[in-house]
Structures are given as C-alpha cells and as structure tokens.
Amino acid sequence: MTQKERYAFVLNYFETHSPNAETELIYDNPYQLLVAVILSAQCTDKRVNMTTPAIFERYPDVYALSKATFDDLFPLIRSISYPNNKTKHLIGMANMVVEEFNGKIPATVAELVKLPGVGRKTANVITSVIHHQPNMAVDTHVFRVAARIGLTHNAKTPLQTELQLIKNIPKDKIHIAHHWLILHGRYICVARSPKCEECGLRPACKYYAKLVKAQ
C-alpha cells in the first residue's frame, strides 16, 4: 500500500464511521474553549469538564477572569494538573486578551501563541475547532497514532508530525482529522495495549502488519 493509498483508506474509514467527530471538552464560546484547552494540558478532558463549570460561573467572560486573583482562582482548579502554573496562565491570558485584543479571543495561531499558557498545540486546537482552519494540533495521541498507522515517517517531534499530516490530508479535512486521530488514540489505539482486534484500520496499519508478521 502506498502512502497516498494509506491516507485515502484511513480518511475514508473515519469519514464513514465518525463523520461528526468533535472535541470532548465542553464549551459554549471561544473564551470557554481556550480556558478548557489551557487546563487540559497533561490532564484528562473528563477532569477538565468537571472543573470548568465552577470557573465559568464565577468568571463568565474574559473580562471577569482578568480581574481574578490567584487566591480566588486557584481553589477552583486545585484538582487539575499543575494548578499553580495554570492559575497564573489563565489570569495572564485574560489580561492580555483584554489589554491587547479588546477582549476578543484571537483567531490566528500567530496571535494566540503570544498568550500566557498557549503553545502551538493549543493555538491549533482553538483555530481548528472554532474557525475550522486547516491546523493540526498534535498531542500524544495524534503523535502515537499517526506513527503507528504509518501516516508519518520518522517524525521525531510534534511539529514534524504536524507538517507531515497537513501535507497529506486535504485542507478541508484537517480540522476534523485532528479529532479522528485523538479519539482513535484515546479509545482504540491506546498507548500500552492497542485494541487491534477492534480496529477497522488494520488493512492500512503498519503497526498491525508487523504484529501479523511476528506471529
């Protein structure tokens, strides 16, 4: 199977079986999604979704969050990983959005990465989910799944993985392909014991082909 055929098979499979894939983070607007994504770094979406309602009730918009103090916000995210840094990042992010972007969440990667707590991955999530821009956020799931299937070759960093994926996935599918790969990694192609017997991508998967040959 050629690389082009592999991509075609994988994309067709996901389009057929998960046509409406989307983020599992719960949000109502760009502000809420940005807060949730910042909190989600090295933390489960489930835990974030348990935490954000209290934050959004107390700080319903970026203006309210910009006025938060560390001591007021920290208790609301104490259960999240790295709560000290994330508390500082959220307050810093809100202040910058208010002061430099007139209270509106930026809509480009270049602007978003200027915000405290926002790296390239987070910026790619915001722009792809909210605006359907052709940006690919690469987390551990995307990195692992893309390599196992064979969508990427010798990609050593998230950026290398991102560049290979966006080169081979049609622009109009990149924003949803991000969700396809994350959810596949979260529930099927898990890190320690991938559920190959349940996976419909076996005909195109290099990892599975090696398993078969090894038997």
Side-chain angles (χ1 to χ4, degrees):
M1 180 177 285
T2 66
Q3 188 76 331
K4 185 176 181 179
E5 290 170 338
R6 177 170 289 105
Y7 268 91
F9 183 97
V10 170
L11 294 175
N12 181 67
Y13 174 83
F14 283 132
E15 283 187 312
T16 301
H17 294 86
S18 304
N20 300 311
E22 59 186 9
T23 180
E24 293 186 315
L25 292 170
I26 298 172
Y27 70 98
D28 291 328
N29 52 55
Y31 158 70
Q32 290 189 359
L33 181 61
L34 181 53
V35 169
V37 177
I38 290 174
L39 292 175
S40 72
Q42 295 182 285
C43 186
T44 66
D45 287 1
K46 182 178 181 180
R47 169 58 61 183
V48 173
N49 289 336
M50 293 170 61
T51 304
T52 50
I55 297 174
F56 299 147
E57 181 177 0
R58 185 160 185 175
Y59 306 105
D61 56 38
V62 73
Y63 292 100
L65 185 60
S66 71
K67 298 174 182 176
T69 66
F70 181 94
D71 290 340
D72 286 337
L73 180 58
F74 179 82
L76 299 180
I77 64 172
R78 187 191 299 272
S79 64
I80 295 285
S81 59
Y82 306 105
N84 284 318
N85 285 338
K86 290 179 180 178
T87 298
K88 295 174 184 175
H89 287 158
L90 288 178
I91 296 172
M93 173 276 290
N95 275 283
M96 184 174 287
V97 169
V98 169
E99 294 170 6
E100 298 190 22
F101 297 99
N102 298 315
K104 185 175 181 180
I105 304 300
T108 69
V109 170
E111 291 175 322
L112 281 162
V113 295
K114 296 177 181 178
L115 303 175
V118 178
R120 185 177 180 86
K121 183 185 76 174
T122 295
N124 281 342
V125 170
I126 301 302
T127 54
S128 64
V129 171
I130 298 295
H131 306 289
H132 288 185
Q133 293 178 21
N135 298 326
M136 174 63 68
V138 177
D139 67 353
T140 56
H141 297 304
V142 174
F143 187 85
R144 178 181 69 254
V145 170
R148 277 184 179 168
I149 295 172
L151 298 178
T152 57
H153 175 69
N154 202 33
K156 302 295 185 183
T157 66
L159 180 58
Q160 290 175 354
T161 295
E162 175 189 334
L163 294 177
Q164 289 187 35
L165 289 173
I166 63 175
K167 178 182 178 181
N168 291 285
I169 298 174
K171 268 192 171 185
D172 64 328
K173 292 184 174 65
I174 291 174
H175 73 279
I176 193 170
H178 158 72
H179 300 304
W180 286 336
L181 294 171
I182 284 179
L183 295 174
H184 193 67
R186 187 171 290 167
Y187 298 110
I188 301 296
C189 195
V190 294
R192 293 189 178 181
S193 300
K195 303 173 184 178
C196 296
E197 69 282 356
E198 300 178 25
C199 182
L201 298 179
R202 286 176 295 179
C205 182
K206 286 189 174 182
Y207 178 87
Y208 183 72
K210 288 181 180 179
L211 288 182
V212 172
K213 287 183 180 180
Q215 294 175 353

